[in-house]
Structure formats: structure tokens, C-alpha cells
Amino acid sequence: MQVHFIGRNGDRVTASPKPGDRLLDAAQSVGLPLEGTCNGQMACSTCHLILHPDWFARLPRASIEEEDLLDLAPDACSTSRLGCQIVLQDHLDGLLARLP
Ligand code: FES
């Protein structure tokens, strides 16, 4: 499967993760500067990504804990998610997200 990212410089980058991989790992696999400092423990928000609205709508809702962390993330918006909480499945093939 493929997922696409728009970097802070506007360049589009494509990753080829496997179903079950996290969106955070897909971004890091192509060298995007997404720290993921707590490695998915929901203690940082350095994995913040902004989803394209079409793809945001296909994701399961964020947990309360994720929402609370996103409230603290710089440049968070209505389609923000934590990349460590998005587990990629086949129906997300083609997903598009950008770095904040
Ligand atoms: Fe820390 Fe996602 S890696 S919240």
C-alpha cells in the first residue's frame, strides 16, 4: 500500500508501508522529520499530522486521550491526528497527510 505526505517545504513524498504499520512509522520510513518522541505512549504529540479531510473521515475517532494531546499540539486543526495512533489498513491505501 502507499500513503502520501506533504512536507513542510511543500514537497510530496510517498511511503510504502504494510497493513498494520502506524502512520508515524510510514512517515519516518521516508525520512520525514516527525519525532515520535514517546513512541506511541501518547505522552508527546511530536507525531502530529494533518490529514486530508477525505481521509480524516475514514479513520476511527480519536480517543479522549488523543484529543487532549492534540489540544496542546502546535498548529492543530480539525483534521489533526497523532500519527502513532493511526494503524494503516488496506482501506487507507492512498491516504494523504501533511506535516504541520
Ligand atoms: Fe508521542 Fe505519538 S509518538 S504521542
Side-chain angles (χ1 to χ4, degrees):
M1 65 185 298
Q2 291 193 327
V3 294
H4 312 284
F5 300 96
I6 297 173
R8 295 191 177 108
N9 59 2
D11 286 351
R12 188 174 165 127
V13 183
T14 296
S16 300
K18 297 184 190 64
D21 288 353
R22 301 175 305 174
L23 189 55
L24 166 64
D25 300 315
Q28 290 179 336
S29 75
V30 287
L32 289 169
L34 213 60
E35 286 178 33
T37 308
C38 77
N39 196 26
Q41 300 304 305
M42 280 213 280
C44 65
S45 81
T46 60
C47 59
H48 173 208
L49 284 164
I50 297 172
L51 279 289
H52 185 283
D54 291 349
W55 292 102
F56 180 85
R58 298 184 205 191
L59 298 173
R61 285 185 65 127
S63 64
I64 303 280
E65 293 83 0
E66 183 179 349
E67 295 279 6
D68 286 349
L69 265 181
L70 285 168
D71 284 343
L72 306 174
D75 301 317
C77 69
S78 61
T79 63
S80 289
R81 293 298 302 262
L82 295 178
C84 69
Q85 300 301 306
I86 309 297
V87 178
L88 295 165
Q89 303 295 346
D90 286 332
H91 74 286
L92 298 174
D93 188 20
L95 178 148
L96 175 63
R98 70 178 171 85
L99 272 65

